[in-house]
């Protein structure tokens, strides 16, 4: 009798789903994944175009060595699975692997695949019969590793892909024990405990996102003209999708379903949609549903903080602001933030936390749904309590921004003897905070206005005034002060409204919008007159005169300023008298009344000295210097400038000193050596003040003075430094001007 051994069970070692037809803008990420999957032994086929063997690549100092486990993590809808499949097919097609195993773990679904279930599927694919698969999960894992080891002993390598994992525990038992194989994971959570190569996947670059839209349209219909004719509309649509691949694919599908709709029309609809999340749904895929799966697993306190962060008025938050919003200690908040970052629901960069545009919209909806659910089920006022709690948390955040701005702005005072809060160590730290929070601070004004918090909407623009003028952010000042004007008017706060209109006039004048500035000043003058506040009316008139002067009407400005001087002398406000005297000097200079210009400037400087205000004394002395120069008295002009420098040094502020020194360099009758001396002193003061923009201008000024004196080599040295500093600051126009001067010297 002949005994026949049973035939081996069939295996399924080619189970990777199809690779995506297109993968726009992911070349670098594909390279990162392939470098991790690459075997240690030499391969005859390499999907890279470099021609290097895998072994050579693995030992190159520029290429990281291969690893057993690679984890691709990122936001829902960012294209993790597509990247894994593209890399997997490239690697198997290159002959790096003899086969593949694939499982979708559905880690974020209501019923995720358990490790035992995944192991059973893998064992079946490896040819193990059902009756031979152990019941216990640990025994299944041991058999699985043994089977993989046997394959490795036969010289066979497998690529194992676990898609959609939600935790390290879900995949840990699936890891092969033999390093001949490779294990590739996709997940919405960063998994740092698996000793894996971590590939973090972000949204697409704008150009790649637009290309993806075009390619998808052309794949569906090569003759579709919209891919070519869309122009900038396709860039706008990509931006509205937040450059998120899922949203881009859905938008492309919506266009495919409506062949006669233009890209621009779809972009307009999406921009106007009450909810972009609701709009981005093609019947099979939806961005909101994808985000739902990510948030479903959040603990209640994590979900609460996630939705609260959408209340932030700007694009990102510091830890202190998040702690204030949550009303929890910073260590506890940091732990939650770390978990939200791990889940790719928020991002962290430079110790600041932010959300993708669509995620922020989702978090906002989550907060609203919480409020609505509480309201629907409210008994005994529970729903109102929940809504009140959200309102309190929102106000707490806006109050934090307002009070911190007050503390920071106190450091901008030019009077060194004034007490300042100890929230910030010094001016540099205060300015750094204001610069970092600028979008949040200006956004807080609009947020306060929109939520009926009139006191903050009126107060915060006043608090922001010094900082925005200091930095020259007049457009921001115009925006927040316009809001303050409207809200103060609605509240019937006439004094606040008058002050806001006056500040708006200053901002508009700073932005060279003179006609609008004059209208704003007129409204302020009218309101102050109705309040019978002659002093403040005089200040607004002074501003109106300055706007007339700056718009090229010095004769009209002179009449206004003379009227203001009479008002302030009657009121007895010496500081305002000094300010208007300085403005009168400028008017007289324009009208070539040089004797009057010199006298009024000297009187202004004397008054400021009497008031103990060396900063404005220095400014008035500079005004006097230019009046003296115009009257043909260059020695007296230079003497006035020297007095201005001495006054500025009495302030104890290197920034004020630098500004005065830079002003002094503009005198016409200075020799190049005198100019260079002023510029070098200004450069030293700029270094001390950390005023990099002014420092760059000082370097450029030294270069120009050296060029005039004939020292071209030294001029090139300073121009190079100035150009580099302007480029570092992002001041491309100024960098270009210096570059032109350099080019002229080097030809």
């Amino acid at each position: 009798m002949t005994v026949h051994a049973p035939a081996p069970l069939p295996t399924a070692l080619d189970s990777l789903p199809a690779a995506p037809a297109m993968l726009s803008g992911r070349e670098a990420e594909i390279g990162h994944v392939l470098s991790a999957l690459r075997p240690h032994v030499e391969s005859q086929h390499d999907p890279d175009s470099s021609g290097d063997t895998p072994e050579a690549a693995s030992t190159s100092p520029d290429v990281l060595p291969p690893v057993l486990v690679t984890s691709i993590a990122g936001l829902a809808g960012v294209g993790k699975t597509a990247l894994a499949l593209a890399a997997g097919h490239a690697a198997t097609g290159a002959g790096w692997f003899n086969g593949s195993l694939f499982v979708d773990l559905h880690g974020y679904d209501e019923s995720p695949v358990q490790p035992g279930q995944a192991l059973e599927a893998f064992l079946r694919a490896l040819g193990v019969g059902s009756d031979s698969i152990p019941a216990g999960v640990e025994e299944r894992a041991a058999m699985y590793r043994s089977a993989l080891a046997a394959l490795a002993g036969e010289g066979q390598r497998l690529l194992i892909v676990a898609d959609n994992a939600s935790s390290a525990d879900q995949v840990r038992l699936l890891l092969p024990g033999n390093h001949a194989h490779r294990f590739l994971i996709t997940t919405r959570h960063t998994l740092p405990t698996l000793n894996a190569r971590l590939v973090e996947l972000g949204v697409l670059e704008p150009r790649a996102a637009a290309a993806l839209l075009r390619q998808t349209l052309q794949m569906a219909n090569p003759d579709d003209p919209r891919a070519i004719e869309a122009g900038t509309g396709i860039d706008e649509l990509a931006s509205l999708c937040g450059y998120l691949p899922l949203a881009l694919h859905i938008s492309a599908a919506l266009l495919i379903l409506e062949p006669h709709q233009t890209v621009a029309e779809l972009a307009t609809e999406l921009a106007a949609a009450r909810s972009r999340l609701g709009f981005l749904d093609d019947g099979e895929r939806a961005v909101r549903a994808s985000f739902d799966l990510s948030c479903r697993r959040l603990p209640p306190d994590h979900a609460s903080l996630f939705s609260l962060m959408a209340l932030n008025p700007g694009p990102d938050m510091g830890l202190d602001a998040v702690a204030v919003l949550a009303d929890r200690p910073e260590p506890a908040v940091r732990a939650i933030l770390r978990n939200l970052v791990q889940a790719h629901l928020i991002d962290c960069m430079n110790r600041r936390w932010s959300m993708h545009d669509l995620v922020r919209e989702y978090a906002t909806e989550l907060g609203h749904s919480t409020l609505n659910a509480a309201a629907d089920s409210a008994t005994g006022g529970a729903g109102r309590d929940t809504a009140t709690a959200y309102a309190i948390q929102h106000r707490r955040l806006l109050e934090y921004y307002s009070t911190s701005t007050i503390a920071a702005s106190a450091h901008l005072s030019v009077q060194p003897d004034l007490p300042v809060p100890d929230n910030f160590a010094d001016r540099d730290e205060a300015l750094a905070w204001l610069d970092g929070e600028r979008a949040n601070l200006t956004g807080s004004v609009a947020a306060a206005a929109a939520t009926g918090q009139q006191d903050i909407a009126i107060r915060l623009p006043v608090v922001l005034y010094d900082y925005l003028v200091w930095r020259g952010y007049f457009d921001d000042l115009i925006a927040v002060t316009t809001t303050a004007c409207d809200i103060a008017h609605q509240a019937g706060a006439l004094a606040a409204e008058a002050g806001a209109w006056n500040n708006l006039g200053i901002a508009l004048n700073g932005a060279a919008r003179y006609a609008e500035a004059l209208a704003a000043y007129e409204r302020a003058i009218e309101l102050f007159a109705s309040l019978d506040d002659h002093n403040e009316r005089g200040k607004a008139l002074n501003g109106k005169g300055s706007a007339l002067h700056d718009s090229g009407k010095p004769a009209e400005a002179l009449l206004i300023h003379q009227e203001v001087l009479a008002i302030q002398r009657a009121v007895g406000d010496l500081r305002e008298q000094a300010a208007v005297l300085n403005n009168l000097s400028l008017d007289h200079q324009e009208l070539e009344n040089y004797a009057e210009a010199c006298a009024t400037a000297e009187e202004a400087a004397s008054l400021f000295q009497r008031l103990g205000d060396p900063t404005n004394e220095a400014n008035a002395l500079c005004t006097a210097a230019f009046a003296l120069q115009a009257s043909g008295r260059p020695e007296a002009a230079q003497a006035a400038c020297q007095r201005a420098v001495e006054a500025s040094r009495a302030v104890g502020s290197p920034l004020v000193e630098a500004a005065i020194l830079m002003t002094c360099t503009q005198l016409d009758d200075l020799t190049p050596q005198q100019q260079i001396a002023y510029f070098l002193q200004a450069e030293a003061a700029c270094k001390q003040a950390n005023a990099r923009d002014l420092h760059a201008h000082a370097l450029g000024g030294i270069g120009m003075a050296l060029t005039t004196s004939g020292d071209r080599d030294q001029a090139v040295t300073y121009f190079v430094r100035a150009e580099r500093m302007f480029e570092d600051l992002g001041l491309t126009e100024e960098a270009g001007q210096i570059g032109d001067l350099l080019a002229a010297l080097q030809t």
Side-chain angles (χ1 to χ4, degrees), residues 210-248:
L212 178 60
L213 286 169
R214 290 191 181 92
Q215 291 165 5
T216 307
L217 290 174
Q218 288 177 325
M219 178 170 291
N221 179 5
D223 297 324
D224 191 334
R226 294 176 294 181
I228 300 172
E229 297 172 357
T232 57
I234 208 158
D235 298 322
E236 182 183 357
L237 180 58
S239 176
L240 289 166
C241 291
Y243 310 117
L244 184 69
L246 175 60
L248 294 164

Side-chain angles (χ1 to χ4, degrees), residues 68-125:
L68 174 64
V69 182
T70 302
S71 176
I72 303 172
L75 172 66
V78 81
K80 301 177 293 294
T81 300
L83 177 64
L85 293 177
H89 278 282
T92 54
W96 291 0
F97 301 101
N98 304 97
S100 60
L101 297 174
F102 178 89
V103 62
D104 185 347
L105 294 174
H106 296 280
Y108 299 89
D109 292 358
E110 290 185 4
S111 300
V113 174
Q114 298 302 310
Q117 295 172 299
L119 285 166
E120 181 180 2
F122 280 168
L123 287 170
R124 287 178 181 275

Side-chain angles (χ1 to χ4, degrees), residues 394 398 443-454 456-457:
H394 188 212
L398 299 184
S444 291
V445 177
T451 53
Q453 301 181 67
Q454 294 180 330
I456 295 177

Side-chain angles (χ1 to χ4, degrees), residues 563-613:
E563 178 187 353
V564 175
L565 183 60
I567 292 172
Q568 298 301 359
R569 281 179 171 160
V571 172
D573 190 329
L574 295 181
R575 188 173 301 279
E576 286 304 311
Q577 288 178 50
V580 75
L581 282 165
N582 191 69
N583 287 338
L584 276 168
S585 176
L586 297 173
D587 298 335
H588 282 305
Q589 287 184 54
E590 289 290 325
L591 296 169
E592 301 182 1
N593 304 327
Y594 298 125
E596 292 89 342
C598 293
T600 49
E602 282 287 356
E603 186 180 354
S606 178
L607 270 177
F608 281 127
Q609 183 183 46
R610 176 180 165 189
L611 291 165
D613 186 347

Side-chain angles (χ1 to χ4, degrees), residues 396-586:
R396 186 188 301 121
L397 179 66
L398 299 184
E399 285 282 9
Y400 160 77
Y401 284 134
S402 181
T403 55
S404 297
T405 302
I406 293 172
S409 296
H411 287 273
L412 305 186
S413 171
V414 296
Q415 302 299 325
D417 55 339
L418 292 179
V420 294
D422 59 2
N423 305 54
F424 303 95
D426 52 29
R427 178 178 292 155
D428 289 345
E429 186 175 303
L431 276 171
W433 184 86
L434 288 164
D435 289 339
E437 300 291 354
R438 173 183 157 204
N440 287 326
L441 302 179
T442 55
S444 291
V445 177
T451 53
Q453 301 181 67
Q454 294 180 330
D455 56 330
I456 295 177
I458 294 170
R459 180 177 73 244
L460 186 52
V462 177
V463 176
L464 281 169
Y465 175 88
D466 285 340
Y467 164 66
L468 295 176
V469 170
W470 183 287
R471 287 299 199 207
Y473 295 139
F474 291 112
D475 288 341
D476 282 351
L477 185 57
I478 290 167
V480 298
T481 310
T482 298
T483 299
C485 290
D486 294 340
I487 298 301
H489 182 74
Q490 294 172 23
L494 291 185
E497 183 185 355
W501 279 109
N502 188 54
N503 286 349
L504 181 57
I506 295 170
L508 289 164
N509 195 52
R513 293 163 59 176
Y514 301 121
E516 295 168 88
L518 289 169
Y521 281 127
E522 286 290 356
R523 178 61 176 154
I525 291 165
E526 176 187 349
L527 287 169
F528 282 129
S530 71
L531 293 165
D532 204 26
D533 191 333
H534 300 295
N535 190 2
E536 294 299 324
R537 176 175 171 271
K539 292 178 184 178
L541 275 167
N542 194 17
K544 177 184 176 181
S546 295
L548 287 166
H549 176 276
D550 293 344
S551 63
K553 299 176 181 178
E556 294 179 45
L558 180 67
L559 293 175
I560 294 287
H561 285 139
Q562 288 172 335
E563 178 187 353
V564 175
L565 183 60
I567 292 172
Q568 298 301 359
R569 281 179 171 160
V571 172
D573 190 329
L574 295 181
R575 188 173 301 279
E576 286 304 311
Q577 288 178 50
V580 75
L581 282 165
N582 191 69
N583 287 338
L584 276 168
S585 176
L586 297 173

Side-chain angles (χ1 to χ4, degrees), residues 22 81 340:
M22 66 192 75
T81 300
L340 291 173

Side-chain angles (χ1 to χ4, degrees), residues 62 123 366 373 386 670 681 741:
D62 299 325
L123 287 170
L366 191 65
T386 303
L670 295 178
Q681 294 176 73
L741 293 171

